[in-house]
Amino acid sequence: MPVVRSSEGVTHEIHGVRFVSYAASRTGSRELCAWRVEIPAGTRAPAHTVGREEIFHLLTGELLITLDGRTERVTAGDTVIVNPGATLAVENPTDRTATSWVTTSVGLVAELADGTRITPPWAD
């Protein structure tokens, strides 16, 4: 039975945001990836278009989520469903770190507004 202990999460950082990967192909998952995201106070991550569906569940804090141009304030306990091809931007306008749990399928690719394609190592 594959069990990934909290101490075994692999940390990645990009655009001032920390991603801690738990479920991925390297840990035995064949179809899904899951990670914790820590978004520091005052952070505005760049908008990006996702190639696969993502489920974004806010564990702590409060965020502004912009999905295809529509902005919603989400708070702890809220879940955002990001469909493939949607453009997502995340902002933490508060003075506290917000934490979320994200799940997607293996092979996620994101594209920034300038055309840069990112294949996140936490979604392999």
Side-chain angles (χ1 to χ4, degrees), residues 35-85:
W35 59 89
R36 185 181 73 234
V37 181
E38 300 167 3
I39 304 158
T43 298
R44 177 181 283 183
H48 57 284
T49 301
V50 298
R52 298 188 186 253
E53 184 173 67
E54 286 185 327
I55 305 300
F56 187 100
H57 181 76
L58 193 59
L59 299 170
T60 65
E62 185 176 316
L63 295 170
L64 293 176
I65 303 287
T66 303
L67 193 58
D68 288 334
R70 180 176 173 206
T71 302
E72 293 279 343
R73 182 173 296 277
V74 296
T75 59
D78 292 345
T79 300
V80 178
I81 299 169
V82 183
N83 290 307

